[in-house]
Amino acid sequence: MTRSEFKGFVERALEDVIRLAEQHAGKALPRNIAFSWLGQKSQPIRESISDVIVNRVFMDEEHIYPCVDIGVGDILEDGTLLIVSNVASYSPRPFGKNWTDRDGPFVYIIGQPFLNKINNKKVKESSAFGFIIPEMNKLKS
């Protein structure tokens, strides 16, 4: 997979994680997004998000990080969806299926802060970021 093809793959994954969050929210969500790597305290990135992800995950055509959690983590005060991601510490390898049996490195997640907000739950701030992996119940044991 070329860098350009992988960028298109990332852009489709971003749309897919928003659709997954919409299923859990039971309503349409905005396509205005920001991005943050989990564990980083910097301001969310609001431009060239797919490029930022490609630059971190895609080394070259034979070296792509194989396990990357990604999903809607929160809704910011201005209504922007915050997409969050984390690259697991596996060595890069050729593009292939991940442990969820999905093509590519992305494991779709939904952040607990997002789930709390759509369910009108008040939860005090925590330094730990919790999330669910909706596909877990579909996997064979």
Side-chain angles (χ1 to χ4, degrees), residues 1-2 6 57-67 90-96 105:
M1 175 170 280
T2 67
F6 190 73
V57 177
F58 184 96
M59 303 296 103
D60 60 42
E61 292 184 13
E62 295 298 315
H63 298 91
I64 300 168
Y65 283 93
C67 185
Y90 297 100
S91 299
R93 54 194 74 159
F95 186 90

Side-chain angles (χ1 to χ4, degrees), residues 21-38:
E22 285 176 329
Q23 290 174 359
H24 282 264
K27 64 179 181 179
L29 296 171
R31 293 313 192 256
N32 184 25
I33 64 171
F35 177 79
S36 183
W37 294 108
L38 286 174

